[in-house]
Structures are given as C-alpha cells and as structure tokens.
Amino acid sequence: MKILGEFVRNQLPDLETERLYLRERKVEDAVDMFAYASLPEVAFNAGFPLMEKIDFLRNKDMIK
C-alpha cells in the first residue's frame, strides 16, 4: 500500500493499493455516488436511506 501524503489536521492522505485508490470525496463525485446510493440493494445493505434525488447529496454536506 502506498500512502500518498501525510496525516494533517485529522485528514487522511490518499491511499493506493494494487486494486484500489481511496481519496476524499469531491462535489464532482455526486453523480457517481447517486448512481449506487439510489439502488435499493446497495442502500439497504450499506445501512443508509435510498437516495431518490441527487440534490440530497449536495444539500446534506455529504460531500465537501
């Protein structure tokens, strides 16, 4: 695993493995987040409410 940066002010750096890249969410991710959060089988198993409108993600500070 590669740690791409330092832990600063309670913010984790980006992490990279052979199969995965983790980074902080961005507003540009809203459409992709909505795509999976609006699927009943995903929302139920992940423990969050089913998303019906993309505005919910943008208005609830779920993304910085």
Side-chain angles (χ1 to χ4, degrees):
M1 173 177 21
K2 293 180 188 175
I3 300 176
L4 309 172
E6 296 180 13
F7 183 78
V8 178
R9 295 190 200 128
N10 292 330
Q11 290 185 337
L12 294 173
D14 294 353
L15 300 174
E16 182 179 19
T17 70
E18 192 174 308
R19 297 177 51 198
L20 183 64
Y21 185 84
L22 295 175
R23 61 166 173 75
E24 187 174 0
R25 294 173 299 221
K26 299 179 183 179
V27 172
E28 297 83 28
D29 298 327
V31 172
D32 294 325
M33 291 173 66
F34 178 75
Y36 71 81
S38 62
L39 298 171
E41 62 273 21
V42 172
F44 176 78
N45 290 321
F48 52 79
L50 182 65
M51 302 291 156
E52 296 178 358
K53 294 182 179 181
I54 197 165
D55 291 339
F56 179 84
L57 292 172
R58 291 189 174 138
N59 294 335
K60 297 293 182 180
D61 293 326
M62 292 184 73
I63 315 169
K64 294 183 178 186

